[in-house]
Amino acid sequence: MALSIIAEKTQAGYSHVVDVDLKSYFDTISHELPLELVGRRVGDVRVMRLIRAWLKAGVMEEGKVTQPDRGSPQGGVVSPLLSNIMLHEVDRQWCCGDGTMSNSVVLVRYADDMGLLARTESEARQAWERLQNQFAALRLVVNQEKSRLTTVEEGFAFLGFEFRKPPRRVLYMWPRKKACQHIRDRVREVVRSFPSSASVGEVIRKLNPILNGWCTYFRVGNSNRIFHKIDWAVLSELQLWLRRKHQRGWRSARKRWNYQFLYKRCRLYQMVGRVSHLPGLRRMPPEEDGRRAGCGKCPTLPKPLAS
């Protein structure tokens, strides 16, 4: 939903972006504010007591237990819900009763990752000042070093994607380098966790759900080129593991455990070809006379009948 809104609005002329970053969001949440907000809808004293106990629970780090007076532990079962309840107050001030935006600037938010889209720089600056005041009322700290005002031509990052819209072109979005490095590191960690006595089928059965999940998330962008690089990295990592397992040289390993063997025979998950663009990013081939031209060429017109 958030990615679709960005694609739709940037195509509609929203060219100025405020990239918003909250400083240590989960560590700076006030304990009293979430309880007050939850208390508006929940009257069960036992539930409120349980939430308070979650927030006040001690945190053990390197054998030492600390009792935090603010913040919600990352990874805690209730932390994502409480963080959304906090930031829902920002959504309420930006939206009308029917859920539509109350002004010309659009706030796009998913959890604590958010941004502002505006048509002009002055609108973006005014909206950013207003949003900072709302954060101050919720006792949240803005990371001024990472928050910035930019344009879609310069590009910005959101939810693991890089966004950029060249002049007179459609919006491009692709996985960030950090996300690509994370999946490479995860693949390396999984493959090298198997001993040489394991079979390649066991390794692939462990890898496929990880690759499938990453691909499913990033397939909505212009990701095919990135997918090709990740597929090649996975192939190389498996060839390295098989080379060590069977004590073979690189040339022999690449020839024996090649693309056909791993992807076709062993059913290793392949990302290339699985891109499914958001509606605002689809590139339609040119149409002439109600028919689409194939491969960038003009459609062949029927020859006139001889008189």
Side-chain angles (χ1 to χ4, degrees):
M1 181 64 178
L3 297 175
S4 299
I5 292 175
I6 290 179
E8 175 189 345
K9 296 301 181 181
T10 52
Q11 295 293 91
Y14 288 75
S15 58
H16 290 79
V17 181
V18 179
D19 194 353
V20 182
D21 186 82
L22 293 175
K23 188 175 183 179
S24 303
Y25 175 58
F26 284 94
D27 297 332
T28 57
I29 294 177
S30 169
H31 287 176
E32 300 305 321
L33 273 177
L35 290 170
E36 178 184 340
L37 296 174
V38 173
R40 295 178 182 177
R41 302 290 297 271
V42 178
D44 193 324
V45 178
R46 292 170 297 179
V47 174
M48 299 299 295
R49 189 182 298 123
L50 180 61
I51 295 175
R52 183 179 293 275
W54 263 322
L55 290 172
K56 299 294 183 181
V59 178
M60 178 178 289
E61 294 180 345
E62 299 180 355
K64 297 181 180 180
V65 179
T66 57
Q67 302 292 336
D69 57 352
R70 62 190 298 113
S72 183
Q74 294 195 42
V77 292
V78 77
S79 296
L81 176 60
L82 292 179
S83 66
N84 250 335
I85 290 173
M86 285 276 292
L87 292 177
H88 181 65
E89 290 302 300
V90 177
D91 296 339
R92 290 179 58 183
Q93 296 180 44
W94 277 81
C95 297
C96 303
D98 58 357
T100 58
M101 288 292 165
S102 58
N103 53 43
S104 57
V105 179
V106 178
L107 171 67
V108 185
R109 183 180 75 82
Y110 185 90
D112 62 327
D113 202 351
M114 68 189 79
L116 296 170
L117 303 177
R119 295 183 182 274
T120 64
E121 182 178 348
S122 61
E123 287 182 344
R125 291 188 182 279
Q126 293 173 9
W128 177 223
E129 293 179 4
R130 175 186 171 190
L131 187 60
Q132 289 186 87
N133 293 333
Q134 293 170 354
F135 287 151
L138 294 173
R139 305 172 198 170
L140 298 175
V141 181
V142 176
N143 191 334
Q144 298 290 352
E145 296 179 357
K146 293 185 177 180
S147 299
R148 64 192 182 103
L149 174 62
T150 182
T151 64
V152 292
E153 292 184 11
E154 296 175 0
F156 63 99
F158 185 71
L159 293 180
F161 283 93
E162 289 282 350
F163 293 85
R164 189 165 299 160
K165 185 179 182 296
R168 298 181 297 279
R169 301 286 294 276
V170 296
L171 178 71
Y172 287 87
M173 53 183 287
W174 64 92
R176 298 184 66 186
K177 288 184 178 180
K178 184 177 180 181
C180 296
Q181 188 60 49
H182 180 268
I183 189 63
R184 289 171 184 263
D185 294 342
R186 183 75 177 114
V187 168
R188 186 180 298 112
E189 176 187 351
V190 169
V191 172
R192 298 186 183 185
S193 67
F194 283 87
S196 58
S197 58
S199 67
V200 67
E202 294 177 74
V203 181
I204 289 176
R205 281 193 294 272
K206 182 72 173 180
L207 275 178
N208 277 352
I210 298 171
L211 299 174
N212 186 9
W214 196 87
C215 176
T216 301
Y217 179 79
F218 287 106
R219 65 183 295 188
V220 298
N222 311 100
S223 307
N224 209 49
R225 185 176 297 180
I226 299 294
F227 285 176
H228 178 78
K229 294 180 180 179
I230 299 300
D231 282 345
W232 181 258
V234 175
L235 179 69
S236 300
E237 190 63 38
L238 279 172
Q239 287 173 338
L240 176 61
W241 183 82
L242 287 165
R243 171 176 172 258
R244 291 172 175 172
K245 173 182 172 69
H246 295 282
Q247 298 297 307
R248 297 293 185 94
W250 261 119
R251 181 175 298 180
S252 174
R254 287 174 175 170
K255 185 176 180 179
R256 181 174 180 181
W257 301 295
N258 55 16
Y259 172 89
Q260 291 292 334
F261 177 83
L262 291 173
Y263 283 108
K264 301 300 182 182
R265 183 176 173 182
C266 297
R267 312 298 294 176
L268 176 63
Y269 187 88
Q270 185 176 12
M271 297 187 187
V272 168
R274 298 182 185 270
V275 171
S276 177
H277 294 299
L278 293 173
L281 302 180
R282 291 175 184 158
R283 287 156 180 75
M284 303 298 291
E287 296 185 3
E288 293 185 16
D289 296 332
R291 292 169 296 175
R292 289 183 182 174
C295 303
K297 300 178 181 179
C298 295
T300 304
L301 298 178
K303 294 182 179 179
L305 296 175
S307 56

